[in-house]
Amino acid sequence: MPYRNTDNLVENKDTQDYDKDLANNEESIKNSKVRKRIDELLEKKRLKELLDDSDDWDV
């Protein structure tokens, strides 16, 4: 059985549709802002839970 190295082969259909799959500049900026906002909200929620569970605030 002859050895065939198929790792170096590139499918033409994959390279043709590659540009269509990439987000355009406006869309990537929007996605970045949304992800940053989600991270901020998750961090705020985490900090709030830490403060709410704390017994240090009893007077």
Side-chain angles (χ1 to χ4, degrees):
M1 176 182 266
Y3 172 75
R4 288 179 37 189
N5 186 1
T6 57
D7 294 338
N8 294 328
L9 295 178
V10 177
E11 294 287 330
N12 285 339
K13 70 177 187 171
D14 291 340
T15 57
Q16 291 173 356
D17 294 334
Y18 180 73
D19 290 336
K20 294 177 187 175
D21 293 337
L22 292 177
N24 61 20
N25 193 27
E26 292 175 8
E27 189 175 341
S28 62
I29 292 171
K30 179 182 173 186
N31 289 343
S32 176
K33 288 180 181 179
V34 168
R35 290 179 186 177
K36 183 177 179 184
R37 180 67 177 145
I38 290 171
D39 288 342
E40 290 171 354
L41 291 173
L42 288 173
E43 180 66 10
K44 184 177 180 181
K45 179 181 176 183
R46 185 185 72 82
L47 293 173
K48 184 179 183 310
E49 289 173 354
L50 286 174
L51 286 173
D52 289 345
D53 292 339
S54 176
D55 293 332
D56 297 337
W57 296 99
D58 293 337
V59 179

